[in-house]
Amino acid sequence: MRGAYPHLPRGRALLYVLLTAAYVASPVDAIPDVFPVIGWTDDAGVLMWALRGMVRESGRFVEWERAGGPPAVGRGR
């Protein structure tokens, strides 16, 4: 939240979330949603790809924080 994590700028993370939400909500898809079940698979695939990326980056953040990321608010340096 403080923007101290240098490997993923806050704006880029927000952009990924917004683009994923826009694709899932958009009526324009690679496979139209008119076709039941199969039309939803591309939406599910994009959503799974985005969630996988967030989980992977969360793990990297935890490793970075444990390796000596910036001190937490309220603690001395």
Side-chain angles (χ1 to χ4, degrees):
M1 294 299 291
R2 294 185 311 267
Y5 182 57
H7 304 291
L8 182 66
R10 191 179 339 180
R12 187 180 307 165
L14 182 60
L15 179 66
Y16 288 151
V17 169
L18 290 176
L19 287 175
T20 299
Y23 183 83
V24 170
S26 173
V28 179
D29 288 338
I31 302 171
D33 292 342
V34 176
F35 304 110
V37 181
I38 196 161
W40 303 319
T41 57
D42 64 328
D43 291 343
V46 169
L47 188 59
M48 294 298 286
W49 173 79
L51 289 174
R52 180 177 174 233
M54 284 193 285
V55 168
R56 186 178 338 126
E57 196 59 43
S58 296
R60 290 179 186 155
F61 172 76
V62 169
E63 289 175 10
W64 171 79
E65 197 171 45
R66 288 181 181 166
V73 175
R75 284 199 267 165
R77 293 182 182 235

